[in-house]
Amino acid sequence: MSITIGRLSIDIGHQRILDVLVKLKRPFQYTVVGDGPLREDLEAYAERLNLVNKVNWIGHSSLIVQHLNENDIFVQGSKVEGFPNALLEANYCGIPVFTFTAPGGTREIVQAGINGHIFEENSEMEDALEQFDNAVWNPTEIKESVTSRYSPGVIIGKYESYFNALINER
């Protein structure tokens, strides 16, 4: 059902996601792709929450698109983000993103109801996951929401406009 991709460190918020998932009443599977200094601690935490059979720890993988396409939703628990590539990759695969408010580029990428939702509190994400219906989301619209704003041609065009404006100021 859900997937997270990212290094297993404190700022990425995997424990926060596990705290949300343990409260779900509906059946789910959660895949974690990534490795890092907190892996053992997070696996032990998942075991204490009795989530061992519901969490699949992949570790580092070069098969990101395959893993994304095997899931319905991308969840992100980050406490701070730069410009989250994994979030963009999920949207590019047509997968909606459920994430928390965090400083960084997440607010710029996520368009509520189009390619995902941003939540303030754990309970808000819990409610949304409990009611999640994949049929409500349009994969083509999700993909378009990021390609229209972040494809290489769009980004290069923005840089070109910026540099031309700097040149014209002289």
Side-chain angles (χ1 to χ4, degrees), residues 30-78:
Y30 175 52
T31 300
V32 180
V33 179
D35 224 332
L38 290 185
R39 180 164 180 164
E40 288 181 14
D41 292 343
L42 290 167
E43 287 178 350
Y45 189 67
E47 188 171 342
R48 282 195 304 276
L49 296 176
N50 200 26
L51 293 175
V52 172
N53 295 326
K54 295 181 177 192
V55 180
N56 183 19
W57 304 91
I58 300 289
H60 177 76
S61 176
S62 59
L63 304 173
I64 299 302
V65 172
Q66 177 182 328
H67 294 304
L68 286 167
N69 286 327
E70 293 169 351
N71 287 276
D72 300 320
I73 188 167
F74 181 91
V75 291
Q76 179 175 282
S78 297

Side-chain angles (χ1 to χ4, degrees), residues 2-169:
S2 59
I3 185 169
T4 298
I5 300 169
R7 94 186 157 284
L8 305 182
S9 62
I10 193 75
D11 54 321
I12 303 301
H14 292 89
Q15 183 172 336
R16 186 178 197 183
I17 294 169
L18 293 172
D19 288 340
V20 168
L21 295 176
V22 72
K23 295 181 179 178
L24 294 182
K25 294 171 183 62
R26 72 182 293 172
F28 70 88
Q29 282 298 125
Y30 175 52
T31 300
V32 180
V33 179
D35 224 332
L38 290 185
R39 180 164 180 164
E40 288 181 14
D41 292 343
L42 290 167
E43 287 178 350
Y45 189 67
E47 188 171 342
R48 282 195 304 276
L49 296 176
N50 200 26
L51 293 175
V52 172
N53 295 326
K54 295 181 177 192
V55 180
N56 183 19
W57 304 91
I58 300 289
H60 177 76
S61 176
S62 59
L63 304 173
I64 299 302
V65 172
Q66 177 182 328
H67 294 304
L68 286 167
N69 286 327
E70 293 169 351
N71 287 276
D72 300 320
I73 188 167
F74 181 91
V75 291
Q76 179 175 282
S78 297
K79 298 173 183 178
V80 65
E81 271 294 344
F83 197 76
N85 288 327
L87 190 146
L88 282 174
E89 291 167 341
N91 278 169
Y92 187 79
C93 289
I95 299 167
V97 173
F98 282 16
T99 185
F100 291 103
T101 300
T106 303
R107 278 204 182 279
E108 180 182 324
I109 298 167
V110 177
Q111 296 174 310
I114 295 171
N115 66 354
H117 288 292
I118 299 176
F119 303 100
E120 298 289 331
E121 303 292 330
N122 288 18
S123 60
E124 295 171 341
M125 184 183 281
E126 178 191 335
D127 291 344
L129 287 171
E130 199 71 69
Q131 300 168 24
F132 180 76
D133 180 1
N134 196 41
V136 171
W137 298 93
N138 181 330
T140 303
E141 192 174 299
I142 293 169
K143 183 175 179 176
E144 177 61 25
S145 75
V146 294
T147 57
S148 67
R149 296 178 293 146
Y150 304 109
S151 68
V154 170
I155 297 300
I156 290 170
K158 288 180 180 183
Y159 274 116
E160 190 174 311
S161 295
Y162 175 74
F163 290 131
N164 284 333
L166 287 176
I167 291 168
N168 290 332
E169 285 181 6

